[in-house]
Amino acid sequence: MGGAITIYAYIDTTEITVRELDLWSTKVDKKYLKVAAEKTKTLEETIDIVFGLDVKKATKYRCLYIPLKEGTFLLPPLNGEWSFVELKDNIFSNLSEENKKEFNRIVKRPVKDVHPVFEYVIVGLPNSSGNVSLFGCGLDGNVINLNSFKKKSRIKKQIHPFVLKPKDTNLYSAKIKRWHPEYLLNRTGGNRKLKDKHILIAGLGSVGSEVAMRFAKAGVKKLSLVDFDDMAFENVHRHALGIDRVFLANDELFFDCPKVWGLKAEISRKYPFTEVETHLKCIFTILDEVKISKSDIDLIVIAIGSPNNEMRINKRLFELPDPPPTIYTWVEPLGIGGHTLVTLNGEKEGCYQCLYKADEESPIYNRSAFAQQGQDFSKTITGCGSVFTPYNFLDSERTAILTVEAGIKVLMDKMVSNPLLSWKGEDDLFRENGYKTTIRYSFSHEKLNGTKHLYKNENCPVCSKQGGSIHQ
Ligand SMILES: [Zn+2]
């Protein structure tokens, strides 16, 4: 084999049928950028984001992906030490009968709009640990159809070099760099079981936005984002979005960017394999319009941080025949902590309403709280005119991490029942300003963990009547 090529390949190696890929090549600063991708996915936009490559302007080549059969004993060629004959023999002696047939079927198909004389082959070599390594090459094809390529008709037969050996053929060994999410997540400790999960997140403020970004980072299949607020400059330093997502602007118009749109753009840029659906509306509108069921949504996260709304949502979800597991999450002021409440996870006991005793004087006092009831955290306390923020980005990010960690456990069936999970921060700032903490705040981490199920109220008007386990 001759000189070295690099191909950036998006190949699902769990699919073991011989098939044609798309391969585009373009010259950038004296080097060739070559990107191969499965034909089954529309990846043009992603390729533009990842490689800055406009496939419409690039040259397209025929590229076959040839997965060898399980148990193949072969060392991939290093530094191009295989000849054309060795390459062909090694491939065809390790190809299943079905894939030989499939190969013959594919190479008989007429090709369209591809380079007439150069071809690519990428070979999948399964190893004993169940992974597949890839190697590939570019090779000169048969020149016999050059004339028809120049004519108007761009559909033509192109004889594959493995069918008819060209007179002068050179092999150019190719290094395959992989960017399929299955491979990337597998390599980085990501969780492949999350790749078919759909999560709905309502409330994309400081906590919800961080939750959304982290679930995309974890590689979930789809996020549905529900929020009707726009970004504002004041959000920037405690939100997953930065200052470039406050406005949507072009030559003709500008307006404040809705948080859901900003997050969709941000996620598509960083984690393009997660599909994002945006709902620029209130969660109650969604509950009215959409039939929410566990068969479609694997997890709901409510990060609105408004107890009255959370209570109403909790009640609505309990009325559904098949509600998905739902997590409520919120932050407390001045760094003293944050909470994640799991509900509807396999059993019905324990819900958001349980945190509020019905007979209490003030119905919206949350029993999980670290801050004592009835304190006003919205005043100026710095003494130099600036309004203090009741919590900062570290508090919301810690809360988001607690929530995503719990969410992944729920999705993996590793979470038992419906715990109330809390992280506890320091109370210096709190005490300095004369605020009071609750008895629950004095609990050690062990005690908080040991009491995570004790919030459940046997007489809860929402969850106690129904009881029992949820049909799985
Ligand atoms: Zn309850």
Side-chain angles (χ1 to χ4, degrees):
M1 295 190 196
I5 306 167
T6 299
I7 299 172
Y8 298 94
Y10 177 102
I11 299 174
D12 179 3
T13 53
T14 61
E15 175 57 55
I16 53 161
T17 311
V18 169
R19 58 196 182 271
E20 208 175 332
L21 308 173
D22 282 327
L23 190 147
W24 296 278
S25 176
T26 191
K27 201 172 182 181
V28 184
D29 189 26
K30 294 174 196 157
K31 289 188 297 186
Y32 283 97
L33 171 63
K34 295 178 192 295
V35 179
E38 297 279 2
K39 279 184 182 291
T40 46
K41 277 216 118 188
T42 316
L43 289 164
E44 270 90 347
E45 207 176 311
T46 307
I47 288 170
D48 193 7
I49 291 169
V50 179
F51 301 97
L53 174 69
D54 180 354
V55 300
K56 288 180 198 77
K57 291 181 186 157
T59 310
K60 201 167 159 185
Y61 291 82
R62 179 157 74 173
C63 176
L64 294 186
Y65 175 59
I66 308 180
L68 304 182
K69 64 187 176 195
E70 291 275 330
T72 296
F73 183 75
L74 202 61
L75 289 172
L78 292 170
N79 308 316
E81 73 255 27
W82 286 359
S83 66
F84 176 87
V85 175
E86 280 172 311
L87 174 73
K88 191 182 160 186
D89 286 353
N90 282 333
I91 288 174
F92 284 90
S93 60
N94 290 296
L95 206 55
S96 69
E97 287 309 312
E98 302 88 75
N99 271 338
K100 274 181 198 160
K101 277 183 207 151
E102 194 56 31
F103 175 87
N104 287 322
R105 215 174 58 78
I106 291 171
V107 294
K108 273 181 200 147
R109 269 200 311 243
V111 291
K112 197 187 167 197
D113 294 336
V114 296
H115 190 277
V117 288
F118 206 75
E119 307 240 2
Y120 290 91
V121 166
I122 297 175
V123 180
L125 180 60
N127 61 31
S128 52
S129 59
N131 295 318
V132 175
S133 47
L134 299 178
F135 62 90
C137 66
L139 59 169
D140 301 303
N142 292 292
V143 195
I144 51 177
N145 275 303
L146 196 54
N147 287 336
S148 69
F149 183 72
K150 284 177 178 165
K151 283 181 197 159
K152 257 191 175 174
S153 163
R154 299 168 87 181
I155 299 174
K156 61 193 178 61
K157 293 254 179 199
Q158 188 159 304
I159 299 174
H160 197 275
F162 286 166
V163 176
L164 176 71
K165 186 179 181 295
K167 263 188 191 157
D168 302 303
T169 189
N170 285 302
L171 287 193
Y172 302 86
S173 69
K175 191 174 179 185
I176 311 296
K177 293 199 175 177
R178 302 161 74 164
W179 57 287
H180 193 280
E182 176 89 18
Y183 172 79
L184 300 182
L185 286 165
N186 199 18
R187 292 283 291 196
T188 50
N191 207 314
R192 292 155 78 195
K193 282 190 185 165
L194 298 176
K195 71 176 187 207
D196 55 1
K197 302 297 184 191
H198 175 195
I199 302 171
L200 182 144
I201 304 171
L204 278 309
S206 51
V207 181
S209 65
E210 295 288 352
V211 168
M213 291 305 294
R214 285 173 162 88
F215 272 127
K217 196 173 195 169
V220 302
K221 181 186 175 207
K222 182 176 171 185
L223 292 171
S224 291
L225 305 179
V226 184
D227 192 300
F228 55 80
D229 261 351
D230 297 332
M231 263 308 270
F233 287 121
E234 288 81 358
N235 300 136
V236 166
H237 285 282
R238 56 169 201 187
H239 199 276
L241 297 177
I243 204 160
D244 59 330
R245 300 285 184 206
V246 178
F247 280 113
L248 262 181
N250 59 32
D251 293 345
E252 278 141 34
L253 51 89
F254 75 93
F255 54 91
D256 295 349
C257 180
K259 288 172 179 171
V260 287
W261 294 4
L263 278 160
K264 183 183 165 108
E266 195 72 12
I267 290 169
S268 310
R269 187 176 66 82
K270 293 180 83 172
Y271 313 110
F273 307 119
T274 294
E275 181 192 341
V276 180
E277 198 175 274
T278 59
H279 301 274
L280 188 56
K281 45 181 89 167
C282 167
I283 180 67
F284 294 105
T285 314
I286 297 287
L287 290 172
D288 289 338
E289 287 174 353
V290 182
K291 194 172 155 277
I292 289 188
S293 140
K294 215 172 150 184
S295 59
D296 173 43
I297 297 171
D298 299 287
L299 179 71
I300 296 177
V301 176
I302 307 292
I304 298 171
S306 152
N308 283 319
N309 283 332
E310 260 91 343
M311 272 187 234
R312 282 172 62 201
I313 294 165
N314 179 65
K315 191 163 180 294
R316 290 284 298 269
L317 291 174
F318 265 81
E319 287 161 3
L320 295 175
D322 189 24
T326 302
I327 292 179
Y328 299 84
T329 182
W330 64 99
V331 187
E332 291 213 47
L334 297 172
I336 60 164
H339 309 279
T340 293
L341 175 69
V342 179
T343 69
L344 295 167
N345 177 40
E347 57 183 52
K348 290 208 164 176
E349 290 91 354
C351 77
Y352 189 81
Q353 189 64 50
C354 290
L355 299 173
Y356 301 85
K357 267 189 183 159
D359 57 352
E360 267 169 328
E361 276 178 33
S362 165
I364 60 161
Y365 178 64
N366 186 323
R367 290 162 64 209
S368 68
F370 289 151
Q372 268 189 27
Q373 185 178 4
Q375 306 181 89
D376 178 14
F377 294 99
S378 61
K379 61 184 180 181
T380 302
I381 58 162
T382 54
C384 48
S386 66
V387 180
F388 93 111
T389 46
Y391 58 92
N392 70 29
F393 69 96
L394 291 174
D395 305 341
S396 43
E397 286 182 27
R398 284 179 79 170
T399 309
I401 288 171
L402 185 71
T403 299
V404 173
E405 215 173 9
I408 288 174
K409 281 187 190 162
V410 169
L411 292 169
M412 303 287 299
D413 291 323
K414 295 260 165 67
M415 177 69 83
V416 180
S417 183
N418 298 315
L420 167 66
L421 308 167
S422 303
W423 68 266
K424 194 174 108 164
E426 287 171 10
D427 63 348
D428 310 19
L429 198 54
F430 212 75
R431 296 201 177 281
E432 264 170 40
N433 289 286
Y435 291 118
K436 291 192 171 59
T437 51
T438 58
I439 292 173
R440 186 164 186 263
Y441 178 77
S442 71
F443 287 7
S444 64
H445 295 287
E446 291 70 30
K447 191 165 179 186
L448 282 173
N449 188 45
T451 56
K452 64 188 174 191
H453 293 291
L454 298 187
Y455 75 94
K456 294 174 189 173
N457 175 8
E458 281 178 14
N459 301 311
C460 172
V462 177
C463 71
S464 70
K465 286 176 197 159
Q466 311 195 13
S469 67
I470 300 168
H471 179 69
Q472 292 283 325

